[in-house]
Amino acid sequence: YGTDGAIWGGEVLIANALSFERFAHLKYVPLPGGDASIKRPYRAALAHLWAAGIAWDEALPCIAQTSSTEQRVLRQQLEKNVNCAPTSSMGRLFDAIAALIGIRQTVTYEAQAAIEMEALCDATMHDAFPVALIGTAPIVIDPAPLWQALVNDVTAGVPVAALAAKTHNTIAGLIVLLSERAREQTGLNLVGLSGGVFQNARLMALAAPQLRNAGFTVLTHHVVPPNDGGLAL
C-alpha cells in the first residue's frame, strides 16, 4: 500500500535513506475484486478500458473471453466503485495489455501473462505507443492514449509480437523521459531500477542502456531480486 492507501506499483520516487517524494505515477485504475483481477488479467483489461473511456468491443480478445453476465457485474462494480481497489500498478498494466492483445486471459502463477508477452516481442519493432503526462508534484501518467492505440492496432490485425514489442518500447521510453524530467528539477543523476517489473529482461535491456546514453548512472539488482522477495528482505 502507498501512503494514501491505494495499491502503488508504477512510481518514480525521489528518495534518500530517510524519506521519499512521489515524483510520478501511473494514473489510478480501479481493480475489481482485487486479487481476482490478478489471477484473471482480462478483468484488469476491462478496468483499464473502462477507465480510458473505451467501449468493450466484442472483437477484442479480452472482451470475447468474458461472458455477458460477468461483463454486466464488472461494469456495475466499476461504475458504483464496489469492491474496487485503486491501483497504479505497472504489473497490472502489463497483465491487462497481455489480455487485450490475446496472449493470456487467466494465470496460474505471478506475472505469467507479462512473462509470455515478453517472450513474444518482435526485436525488430522500434515503434512505441503514446501516453499522456498530466500535471506536476506528482506527474500522473495517463495510459488512455496507449489503450486507444492498442485497440486500433488489434482491430487492424497488427501482429501480437509487434504489439508486445511496442508495449515494452513505450515503458522503456517513459522511464527515460521521467528520469530526465526528475533530473531537470533535482539535479540528481542516479537512477535505481527496482520492483517486480524489472525482472523483465527485455524491459531492462531497453531501459538501462537508454538511461546510460542519457548520462545517468544506473543501479540494478545483483544480490537480491527486484520483486517481492527483495521487498520482503
Side-chain angles (χ1 to χ4, degrees), residues 28-67:
Y28 286 139
V29 169
L31 200 62
D35 284 350
S37 290
I38 296 174
K39 296 173 182 176
R40 289 178 270 179
Y42 67 85
R43 294 169 66 104
L46 268 64
H48 269 277
L49 290 170
W50 179 85
I54 299 171
W56 291 354
D57 187 339
E58 294 291 337
L60 300 173
C62 58
I63 309 299
Q65 293 288 322
T66 312
S67 70

Side-chain angles (χ1 to χ4, degrees), residues 30-34 43 73-85:
L31 200 62
R43 294 169 66 104
V73 171
L74 286 172
R75 189 177 297 279
Q76 289 178 351
Q77 279 188 270
L78 292 165
E79 290 177 349
K80 297 178 181 179
N81 194 29
V82 175
N83 195 23
C84 287

Side-chain angles (χ1 to χ4, degrees), residues 13-177:
L13 306 176
I14 308 297
N16 58 30
L18 298 177
S19 64
F20 72 89
E21 170 193 347
R22 199 183 192 196
F23 180 79
H25 65 87
L26 276 171
K27 184 178 180 180
Y28 286 139
V29 169
L31 200 62
D35 284 350
S37 290
I38 296 174
K39 296 173 182 176
R40 289 178 270 179
Y42 67 85
R43 294 169 66 104
L46 268 64
H48 269 277
L49 290 170
W50 179 85
I54 299 171
W56 291 354
D57 187 339
E58 294 291 337
L60 300 173
C62 58
I63 309 299
Q65 293 288 322
T66 312
S67 70
S68 58
T69 300
E70 187 169 12
Q71 286 184 40
R72 185 168 62 254
V73 171
L74 286 172
R75 189 177 297 279
Q76 289 178 351
Q77 279 188 270
L78 292 165
E79 290 177 349
K80 297 178 181 179
N81 194 29
V82 175
N83 195 23
C84 287
T87 183
S88 60
S89 170
M90 183 65 75
R92 300 293 76 76
L93 178 68
F94 269 82
D95 284 350
I97 292 172
L100 177 79
I101 65 180
I103 292 174
R104 178 161 287 280
Q105 306 303 327
T106 60
V107 301
T108 56
Y109 59 87
E110 175 70 20
Q112 182 179 2
I115 289 167
E116 292 178 1
M117 181 165 66
E118 175 192 352
L120 289 171
C121 284
D122 177 357
T124 66
M125 168 58 71
H126 301 293
D127 294 344
F129 294 116
V131 294
L133 300 181
I134 302 170
T136 57
I139 296 168
V140 176
I141 307 154
D142 186 356
L146 176 153
W147 283 104
Q148 188 60 65
L150 262 173
V151 168
N152 293 344
D153 279 0
V154 170
T155 304
V158 175
V160 169
L163 300 178
K166 289 173 75 173
T167 297
H168 285 73
N169 296 343
T170 301
I171 303 306
L174 192 60
I175 291 165
V176 177
L177 175 61

